Amino acid sequence: MYQIPFLNIFQRASTNNWHEIQPHPSVNSKFKRALDILGSLVGLLILAVVFIPIAIAIKIDNPGPIFFTQERYGLYGKTFRIRKFRSMVADAEQLKNLVKNESEGLIFKSKDDFRVTKIGRFLRSTSLDELPQFWNVFVGEMSLVGTRPPTGDEVMHYNQRHWQRLDVKPGLTGEWQVNGRSQIADFESVVDLDLQYQKKWYPMYDLLVVFKTIYVIFARIGAY
């Protein structure tokens, strides 16, 4: 486990301007929270319907657990745990050093990652592997729309600009997912999109991103 302390908005500010730091408007938006609850309930209903077929397919394709569980960093650097349907072989973390990272910066992507199982590729291309995270949205650890929650090995190298990604709740989807997804291989470009979301945000904007995400998923754009 990476021992990175909880980082709040005041810790990033200098002693001269800490009082000027304000939470992003989305953090306290009642509309956004209502949308998250409604959307997560729909997502959990879909999860209940497809859980057994997906679980059986994962087990048949590759022995091991149904879920992949990992600690992630959320709003202001607070940690929480996510679960995904497992899309890789059971010992994927131990084999990571054998895979070439095709991205630049603090993200890891490989189009032909040999650790991904056959059912895993389908789950990823359809985003079905993400369904369990609707629970994180329901309990308030995540939002439907935001930035993707980073891992410990990512945030241990963050600078102040990178930490600004976490001035909003992490999301199931966001600007990265609807503007290229895995085709965007540069971490700094991902950060640019995340900060762009914070500048552009207004309550109905989240709904627009959700609709764009649905199109991207069904068109299978940029996923691997």
Side-chain angles (χ1 to χ4, degrees):
M1 178 181 294
Y2 295 88
Q3 299 298 321
I4 302 174
F6 175 82
L7 185 75
N8 61 47
I9 54 177
F10 303 111
Q11 285 175 292
R12 288 208 315 272
S14 70
T15 56
N16 294 326
N17 65 0
W18 70 267
H19 58 282
E20 298 176 0
I21 302 297
Q22 297 293 327
H24 189 270
S26 67
V27 175
N28 297 317
S29 171
K30 293 182 179 179
F31 178 87
K32 183 177 178 70
R33 182 57 186 149
L35 182 63
D36 285 347
I37 292 174
L38 179 61
S40 63
L41 289 174
V42 173
L44 290 172
L45 179 61
I46 296 173
L47 174 61
V49 172
V50 302
F51 176 81
I52 292 179
I54 290 178
I56 292 174
I58 291 173
K59 285 288 189 179
I60 291 176
D61 189 31
N62 183 263
I66 296 171
F67 294 114
F68 170 73
T69 304
Q70 190 176 48
E71 184 178 75
R72 295 292 183 96
Y73 286 73
L75 183 65
Y76 307 146
K78 186 175 181 179
T79 59
F80 66 100
R81 300 192 74 77
I82 66 165
R83 286 182 176 82
K84 296 183 178 184
F85 282 119
R86 182 171 60 87
S87 60
M88 290 186 172
V89 295
D91 57 347
E93 289 297 298
Q94 289 72 37
L95 299 172
K96 187 175 180 179
N97 64 323
L98 300 178
V99 181
K100 180 181 179 181
N101 186 10
E102 298 174 356
S103 299
E104 296 181 18
L106 304 179
I107 52 175
F108 189 93
K109 290 288 180 182
S110 177
K111 186 174 183 179
D112 298 314
D113 193 331
F114 72 90
R115 300 173 301 165
V116 181
T117 62
K118 291 181 180 179
I119 185 62
R121 293 200 180 277
F122 171 76
L123 294 175
R124 287 183 170 203
S125 67
T126 57
S127 293
L128 289 172
D129 62 321
E130 308 278 358
L131 284 176
Q133 291 173 65
F134 277 110
W135 176 254
N136 297 104
V137 176
F138 181 74
V139 300
E141 295 170 332
M142 292 178 63
S143 176
L144 291 179
V145 183
T147 182
R148 290 301 295 149
T151 60
D153 57 346
E154 294 171 15
V155 300
M156 69 185 299
H157 300 293
Y158 270 17
N159 58 36
Q160 183 170 337
R161 176 176 179 268
H162 300 153
W163 276 112
Q164 292 176 34
R165 303 176 69 210
L166 301 180
D167 282 351
V168 299
K169 283 185 180 181
L172 280 175
T173 187
E175 294 287 353
W176 175 70
Q177 286 83 350
V178 300
N179 288 285
R181 217 170 173 184
S182 294
Q183 294 174 352
I184 301 176
D186 176 30
F187 175 67
E188 296 301 330
S189 296
V190 175
V191 176
D192 288 341
L193 288 171
D194 288 336
L195 300 185
Q196 175 182 302
Y197 166 75
Q198 294 183 24
K199 292 179 180 179
K200 293 166 58 176
W201 183 87
Y202 58 93
M204 292 300 294
Y205 187 69
D206 277 7
L207 202 56
L208 178 62
V209 175
V210 168
F211 286 137
K212 285 183 178 180
T213 301
I214 294 172
Y215 168 74
V216 167
I217 289 174
F218 278 99
R220 298 193 183 185
I221 298 174
Y224 57 78

